[in-house]
Amino acid sequence: MSDIVRPYGDTTGDGMVQLSFTLPIPHDKRAEGAALQLAAKMGMDPAMLVHAKQMGDGFTFFVVYGRVNHLVDVSKVEVVERDYPLLSAKDVNAAVKRGLRRKLSVVGACIGTDAHTVGIDAILNVKGIAGEKGLEYYRELKVTNLGAQVTVPELVAAAQRERADAVLVSQVVTQRDAHLHNTREMSAAFREALPAERRPLLVVGGPRFDETMAGELGVDRIFGRGTTPGEVASYLVHALVNA
């Protein structure tokens, strides 16, 4: 199979893509023309407007469909591959009990103004997600879920109080790169508050994170959308017990 690929729409290699966006203008013929002009400037030729709908006062949502000439070299795509085995809950518990001889302490939160707890709850709460139980289910993990809108100082204090081995932070709000600013603030606060040998593992997750930016953001690991509690638990064992 070739490493060079082209988008697929109606037939193989036709280069057709679908794009959606919102413009801050009311819906009329001029707005539709503006949407097609934008699509053309983005390299869609020809571009067809397939959907337009007024979204509140002075905003219009568009869907355009058209051909692009860009190719993708799959061999040059950089991703973070899972570099540790995926363990069952039984194996995680056994590894922690054998390796630490105490419970592994995990503190989780949504920091800053982020009030979206769905992600952190899916990983931490016993009910988990999609039939897979969260970290509270693991008997050798001690989980403290601080919930939403936790300040960085509050998170650092809780991590110290709970003697956290790992801190898990979920960030869904991304306006003006809030998730990046919050993560950098958090990592800097932990570096200032604790010496390296006492610093917990810092893990962040959310749908808009680039998993390759962990070093740049000062954290140990980034998880993207679709991450399961089992993946996180297995990583904790890999990083804290089997390292």
Side-chain angles (χ1 to χ4, degrees), residues 110-133:
C110 297
I111 60 176
T113 59
D114 202 325
H116 300 77
T117 62
V118 173
I120 197 70
D121 288 345
I123 298 299
L124 297 183
N125 287 3
V126 67
K127 66 182 179 180
I129 185 173
E132 184 176 325
K133 294 185 183 300

Side-chain angles (χ1 to χ4, degrees), residues 125-206:
N125 287 3
V126 67
K127 66 182 179 180
I129 185 173
E132 184 176 325
K133 294 185 183 300
L135 301 192
E136 289 179 345
Y137 171 74
Y138 295 69
R139 68 174 182 271
E140 296 300 326
L141 302 186
K142 177 179 178 290
V143 176
T144 303
N145 188 347
L146 301 178
Q149 296 183 323
V150 177
T151 67
V152 168
E154 288 171 341
L155 179 62
V156 172
Q160 292 176 306
R161 183 175 63 250
E162 300 297 334
R163 296 184 180 181
D165 296 293
V167 170
L168 309 184
V169 166
S170 173
Q171 292 281 266
V172 175
V173 174
T174 59
Q175 282 87 347
R176 298 182 180 178
D177 288 335
H179 60 309
L180 304 181
H181 299 312
N182 290 342
T183 300
R184 289 190 178 99
E185 180 186 352
M186 176 194 68
S187 62
F190 273 100
R191 286 196 303 272
E192 182 177 342
L194 295 166
E197 66 275 10
R198 291 177 48 209
R199 199 175 304 143
L201 196 73
L202 299 181
V203 180
V204 297

Side-chain angles (χ1 to χ4, degrees), residues 2 32 35 59 65 95 97 100 113 116 159 185 191 210 215 217 221 233:
S2 172
E32 294 185 358
F59 293 87
Y65 185 66
K97 190 171 185 178
L100 295 185
T113 59
H116 300 77
E185 180 186 352
R191 286 196 303 272
D210 180 346
L217 296 179
R221 190 82 177 198

Side-chain angles (χ1 to χ4, degrees), residues 44-67:
M44 297 178 71
D45 183 24
M48 297 170 284
L49 182 65
V50 297
H51 177 76
K53 184 177 181 180
Q54 182 100 2
M55 301 292 288
D57 185 21
F59 293 87
T60 306
F61 176 75
F62 300 95
V63 178
V64 295
Y65 185 66
R67 179 180 293 108

